[in-house]
Amino acid sequence: MAVCARLCGVGPSRGCRRRQQRRGPAETAAADSEPDTDPEEECIEAGAAALSGAGGGRSAGPSPPPRCSLLELPPELLVEIFASLPGTDLPSLAQVCTKFRRILHTDTIWRRRCREEYGVCENLRKLEITGVSCRDVYAKRVNPRVKSGRFMGILPDYEHMEYRDVYACLLHRYRHILGLWQPDIGPYGGLLNVVVDGLFIIGWMYLPPHDPHVNDPMRFKPLFRIHLMERKSATVECMYGHRGPHNGHIQIVKKDEFSTKCNQTDHHRMSGGRQEEFRTWLREEWGRTLEDIFHEHMQELILMKFIYTSQYDNCLTYRRIYLPPSHPDDLIRPGLFKGTYGSHGLEIVMLSFHGKHARGTKITGDPNIPAGQQTVEIDLMHRIQLPDVENLRNFNELSRIVLEVREQVRQEQQQQEDGPEDAEGCSRQSPQEPQRGPAQPSVEPPAEKGSEPGDGGAAAAAEQPVESGQGQPFVLPLGVSSRNEDYPRTCRMCFYGTGLIAGHGFTSPERTPGVFILFDEDRFGFIWLELKSFSLYSRVQATFRNADAPSPQAFEEMLKNIQSLTS
């Protein structure tokens, strides 16, 4: 009874004192005659006593202070200690003794682990919140367009669940699929974010805003969700289609790869057949009807994408992607950006920095340049000083400046290939040290044809720090097409870069010269000289958990893997 008294209010011993008060004297005396400790505790205490006795026999001096065992601590303190340990260590702790095992049945321990490790803040014991049940909240969170009452019969009953079951059977079991993933949908790719959302694990597909509104926020829709339908059984449901959640399956293929499968594909079909499905998909994907799209080539690209992606509505494979690591000396903060790509619409690009270069890797792609390929590369060692606004309107003037820089880059590369001594003689500056100066307004007349683009006003601008915050007026040259005319009219600086272009089916790929324009911390642009086209990129304003690369080497390996899949 002493053991139960010490554990009163914890786990299965809850209510022991109340039962003591209801017992008669004879029952109380019989209970008090029980041993105070269980066999496991006696073994531990006996071992501690033997150790102290052995040490006492060697010295005649004063006895050492008594050592305090964890078993002697009060249960409420043990609960606090155990709740601060990682959840993966608690099963081993439960094997130490019966007392620890009983304490680990305390739900507050597992609730804290769910909150600190996975961000679960919901209370299983308080289902009613301001008159709306959590079930309704979760149903609307998954699909806000439908009435949540349709899902009431298939949502779990949290009143009879414990946080230990939520942690062990849901969160810990599926922890390996949390984070960012790229679906294998041929050249189109995609961006999937698997998160703990309430008491669900939901896979959200992130979609760019409708073309050409690159500054609008991202759109997203659920592809699958996992939750506990019964106490110790997790249920996977497919969310694709318009008929509500239905039976699905998830298989973790190998490290950093998993697949999903729908077991009820009839839920994906619509009563109006493929025509109705296409019209619905077009409204969701492009925000318009086919009649609104007058460009014949664009209509063909849209129809091709619908036919291709519809083949993957029942089974998909995902490969993990990481966010690029950030360094204090980066030009801007790396991350995900939305960019305009002509008739292909808006696509998602990952900007990362690699020493003297920056790269834009496609997370979503198209039949010309598929997902995973490096769409742009920026040479941070070769800054371009733009002419004044009047001369910038002349495309030939901009083209002359860029081609001269390209020739300079070729000469430097040739020197490096000829011999290391020649390459060492060519002074190279870091991206933080202005080489031609930031893109500041030129104080001298534009250079004559044939002169170096770094002469004149660029030399004076080179003395100004990159972080000056001043901008140079910017306007697109005449003849350069842009999907979005609402681009910034000032820029911080420009660099020489190359863009990847190819024919349909990624045929005859080649890198062509261009200009990287940095507008601000969240926007940049790229002028494709050969295509006479301008792409505007805007940062994806979203916070992603479980998306950081474990090391720079792991991030580089990830880039190689996604590029090799579409090469």
Side-chain angles (χ1 to χ4, degrees), residues 147-318:
K147 295 181 179 179
S148 56
R150 294 174 55 186
F151 300 133
M152 290 293 289
I154 59 175
L155 285 174
D157 184 1
Y158 299 111
E159 290 181 337
H160 301 93
M161 292 185 186
E162 297 180 356
Y163 278 99
R164 183 178 57 175
D165 299 326
V166 174
Y167 184 96
C169 303
L170 178 66
L171 303 178
H172 181 71
R173 179 181 178 184
Y174 290 97
R175 69 191 183 281
H176 296 298
I177 70 171
L178 298 177
L180 289 178
W181 303 82
Q182 185 183 50
D184 184 8
I185 314 180
Y188 298 102
L191 179 65
L192 180 79
N193 187 24
V194 183
V195 298
V196 176
D197 192 348
L199 294 172
F200 289 86
I201 291 179
I202 301 181
W204 296 101
M205 180 68 84
Y206 277 64
L207 306 171
H210 294 140
D211 181 57
H213 308 291
V214 69
N215 293 317
D216 288 357
M218 295 284 287
R219 301 174 296 124
F220 48 89
K221 64 178 181 180
L223 291 191
F224 63 86
R225 70 179 185 180
I226 315 171
H227 58 97
L228 296 183
M229 288 294 291
E230 299 176 0
R231 183 174 180 182
K232 296 184 182 297
S233 176
T235 298
V236 178
E237 293 177 328
C238 176
M239 303 295 295
Y240 191 87
H242 302 272
R243 296 170 60 181
H246 46 283
N247 188 22
H249 175 71
I250 286 182
Q251 179 182 3
I252 299 178
V253 181
K254 58 183 179 180
K255 186 179 183 296
D256 295 335
E257 183 176 325
F258 77 97
S259 62
T260 59
K261 182 180 180 181
C262 176
N263 297 328
Q264 294 177 284
T265 55
D266 57 300
H267 282 62
H268 304 173
R269 308 280 76 87
M270 303 186 73
S271 58
R274 297 290 281 177
Q275 291 186 355
E276 183 182 0
E277 294 172 12
F278 174 68
R279 288 194 298 268
T280 304
W281 174 87
L282 188 59
R283 286 194 300 270
E284 294 179 352
E285 186 79 10
W286 293 84
R288 62 183 80 174
T289 64
L290 195 62
E291 292 75 16
D292 298 332
I293 303 173
F294 301 103
H295 199 290
E296 184 177 352
H297 178 60
M298 192 172 183
Q299 292 180 352
E300 295 175 354
L301 293 174
I302 291 174
L303 184 59
M304 182 189 309
K305 184 175 182 179
F306 170 74
I307 295 174
Y308 194 99
T309 56
S310 297
Q311 304 173 14
Y312 293 86
D313 64 350
N314 62 336
C315 186
L316 270 176
T317 300
Y318 304 87

Side-chain angles (χ1 to χ4, degrees), residues 35 53 55 64 146 158 194 315 349 361 372 383 400 430 435 437 478 507 517:
V146 300
Y158 299 111
V194 183
C315 186
V349 172
T361 305
R383 186 176 300 160
R400 179 192 63 80
S430 68
Q435 183 178 2
L478 296 177
T507 57
I517 307 107

Side-chain angles (χ1 to χ4, degrees), residues 457-469:
E463 301 177 359
Q464 302 184 23
V466 173
E467 294 82 3
S468 62

